[in-house]
Amino acid sequence: QVQLVESGGGLVQPGGSLRLSCAASVGLFRPYAMAWYRQAPGKQRELVARISSNGSTNYADSVKGRFTISRDKTKNTVYLQMNSLQPEDTTVYFCNTDPPSASWGQGTQVTVSS
């Protein structure tokens, strides 16, 4: 059973920072690219950031220069450092493989508001 557990979300003011974490089951984590996704109500799911098994990264244009994805293979964990957060970043964030597996975690809510 694939398991993905996201954490680290919260309420932050515009311009603030958060660091999201995603703990993934070993069999899922090591061979695959991992990614962070977000989906606002009524909108399509968006791939925000991706990191390959060899560490190369890609970002959506909307977060490029503000967000940084990383992974710790020893902890089977992938991170998303989010800086300069804006209200439009408010939504639930999920991690999964890229392309995504059928198993999604509960996500972590990020709210950017003054």
Side-chain angles (χ1 to χ4, degrees):
Q1 181 74 20
V2 170
Q3 288 190 327
L4 296 159
V5 181
E6 301 93 344
S7 62
L11 173 64
V12 64
Q13 293 186 341
S17 299
L18 285 173
R19 188 193 194 204
L20 307 184
S21 299
C22 172
S25 54
V26 172
L28 175 69
F29 186 81
R30 288 180 177 174
Y32 298 105
M34 295 296 295
W36 283 95
Y37 301 83
R38 64 187 183 187
Q39 185 168 18
K43 294 188 177 181
Q44 282 193 321
R45 185 176 60 217
E46 174 187 20
L47 190 154
V48 173
R50 176 187 187 276
I51 185 166
S52 70
S53 58
N54 66 8
S56 61
T57 58
N58 301 92
Y59 298 93
D61 288 342
S62 57
V63 306
K64 201 171 292 184
R66 301 188 297 124
F67 291 9
T68 303
I69 189 171
S70 60
R71 65 195 296 171
D72 185 336
K73 292 183 178 181
T74 65
K75 297 180 179 180
N76 300 321
T77 300
V78 61
Y79 303 97
L80 186 68
Q81 178 66 43
M82 305 188 297
N83 298 328
S84 301
L85 283 162
Q86 300 301 318
E88 53 265 34
D89 296 316
T90 295
T91 189
V92 181
Y93 287 71
F94 302 88
C95 71
N96 208 323
T97 56
D98 178 39
S101 71
S103 296
W104 291 87
Q106 82 287 351
T108 186
Q109 175 71 45
V110 171
T111 303
V112 185
S113 175
S114 55

